[in-house]
Amino acid sequence: MRVPPILLSTSSCYPSSTESCFADAARLGYDGVEVMVWKWPETRDARRLSELAETYGVPVMSIHSPTLLLTQRVWGTDPWGKIDRSVELAEAVGAEAVVVHPPFRWQRDYAAGFVEGIARRQAATEVKLAVENMFPWKARAKDGSRTKERHAYLPHWDPVGLGYEHVTLDLSHAGVAGQDSLEVARRLGGRLAHLHLTDSTGSNRDEHLAPGRGSQPCEEVLRALPELGFTGSIAVEVTTRKMKPDEREAALVESLAFAREHLPSLA
């Protein structure tokens, strides 16, 4: 029997340094780290990440590819190049998964062959390429009378109906999309390979609250993992950038305790 490892995402420590995230993960008792590939050179440096993992005793277990709006120029502008380099980095540091966002609508050539391109790359590596669920972008009409939705991702923001072998489920993203995370997890079944443990009130904003502070069924999702055949890892990905240091630490401690309390052992 095993309990899925609980990772601290470097994004949960932003804007603090990458090294401080490793230090926090070790001090607070996390099992490993998820590294968001970002503007800081060490997030792209396998040797430096391995040194940090050895120094603090917490391995890098997942890599988040730089496929966000804010990382459009990290590792160049070729989206497939970003994914290929993310896989190479994961292999070099011994990470089990690479988290990938679906293409933006304006990346039409990239999007046209995205499902097939992910499948080809998956066949060539043991690292799990886990495509993350996203959400429609929402904005109020100028008169304030209604909310407009724009589907900003191709082939779709919802990976359930697409042919990805592995999927990352982000509970905050599900909240923005008006979805029930437990229902999404059950529809994914064995394709659920990685979890971003966080929460949402259902706001149009991607809140990334500590689990239990919103309205998503975080506890129920964790308890359902054995029946889904889950064999992956769980990364705490919460927004703390506007918090004071003691508030941030409390959120990270609380998130880890929540996961430990509700995670059952897996066969």
Side-chain angles (χ1 to χ4, degrees), residues 89-119:
L89 179 62
E91 292 173 337
V93 300
E96 299 175 354
V98 167
V99 179
V100 179
H101 284 192
F104 293 107
R105 179 168 291 276
W106 55 84
Q107 296 175 305
R108 294 192 178 276
D109 291 342
Y110 172 47
F114 184 70
V115 177
E116 296 79 7
I118 291 292

Side-chain angles (χ1 to χ4, degrees), residues 31-134:
D31 300 312
V33 169
E34 173 169 306
V35 173
M36 174 80 75
V37 177
W38 195 250
K39 59 185 178 181
W40 292 296
E42 69 272 14
T43 65
R44 311 188 294 274
D45 185 333
R47 184 169 65 177
R48 180 57 180 150
L49 291 176
S50 296
E51 289 173 350
L52 290 171
E54 182 174 358
T55 297
Y56 293 99
V58 282
V60 178
M61 299 188 71
S62 62
I63 298 292
H64 197 308
S65 187
T67 48
L68 291 73
L69 271 177
L70 294 176
T71 57
Q72 286 297 287
R73 295 193 178 278
V74 174
W75 270 343
T77 57
D78 173 25
W80 284 123
K82 294 171 182 285
I83 293 177
D84 291 339
R85 294 182 74 171
S86 297
V87 171
E88 291 170 2
L89 179 62
E91 292 173 337
V93 300
E96 299 175 354
V98 167
V99 179
V100 179
H101 284 192
F104 293 107
R105 179 168 291 276
W106 55 84
Q107 296 175 305
R108 294 192 178 276
D109 291 342
Y110 172 47
F114 184 70
V115 177
E116 296 79 7
I118 291 292
R120 285 196 303 273
R121 285 163 172 81
Q122 186 61 77
T125 183
E126 294 183 1
V127 173
K128 296 177 181 178
L129 282 163
V131 180
E132 188 170 2
N133 64 308
M134 297 305 292

Side-chain angles (χ1 to χ4, degrees), residues 140-164:
R140 283 281 180 188
K142 289 184 178 180
D143 60 7
S145 62
R146 65 191 184 282
T147 299
K148 291 184 177 181
E149 286 193 0
R150 179 187 177 195
H151 285 220
Y153 299 95
L154 291 175
H156 203 276
W157 54 264
D158 185 353
V160 172
L162 299 171
Y164 307 123

